Amino acid sequence: QVQFVESGGGLVQPEGSLRLSCAASGFTFSSVTMTWYRQAPGKGRELVAVISSHGRVTNYADSVKGRFTISRDNGKNTVYLQMNSLKAEDTAVYYCNSQPIRDPWGQGTQVTVSS
């Protein structure tokens, strides 16, 4: 049974940092590309970052490039998102998933950037 469990969100001031974690199970984690998405209030789900199965190739949305870093630990079936220099527009619920997408999605973790 596929499961994604996101954690690490919270309230942070602008220019602050957070590290999100996502524990995945129900599939061969080390063999699949992993992704982070986010969904802001009233908007659609946006792809934020992608990491290859071995972790050597990453891609980012232009809006987070240079500020966010995706990484993974295949021994722990976990993918991470280090977020630095956070902005108000980064406020959203953050989700991880695989590529291609597997259902069901996790509950996500709320990130709120506000002073």
Side-chain angles (χ1 to χ4, degrees), residues 28 52 66 82 84 95 114:
T28 307
S52 60
Q82 177 67 44
N84 299 329
Y95 303 87
S114 175

Side-chain angles (χ1 to χ4, degrees), residues 1-95:
Q1 181 178 354
V2 171
Q3 188 173 28
F4 300 103
V5 180
E6 301 91 348
S7 62
L11 173 63
V12 62
Q13 293 187 340
E15 294 304 312
S17 298
L18 281 175
R19 188 193 194 205
L20 307 184
S21 300
C22 171
S25 60
F27 58 96
T28 307
F29 181 84
S30 60
S31 299
V32 306
T33 294
M34 292 296 295
T35 59
W36 280 99
Y37 286 80
R38 68 184 179 187
Q39 187 165 19
K43 296 187 177 181
R45 198 163 285 175
E46 173 192 17
L47 179 62
V48 173
V50 183
I51 186 167
S52 60
S53 58
H54 42 63
R56 291 192 289 270
V57 179
T58 57
N59 281 295
Y60 300 92
D62 287 343
S63 57
V64 307
K65 204 169 290 183
R67 300 186 299 120
F68 290 11
T69 302
I70 187 171
S71 62
R72 66 191 295 161
D73 185 336
N74 286 346
K76 295 182 179 179
N77 284 11
T78 300
V79 61
Y80 305 97
L81 188 67
Q82 177 67 44
M83 306 187 296
N84 299 329
S85 302
L86 283 161
K87 305 175 182 181
E89 50 264 44
D90 295 319
T91 295
V93 180
Y94 285 71
Y95 303 87

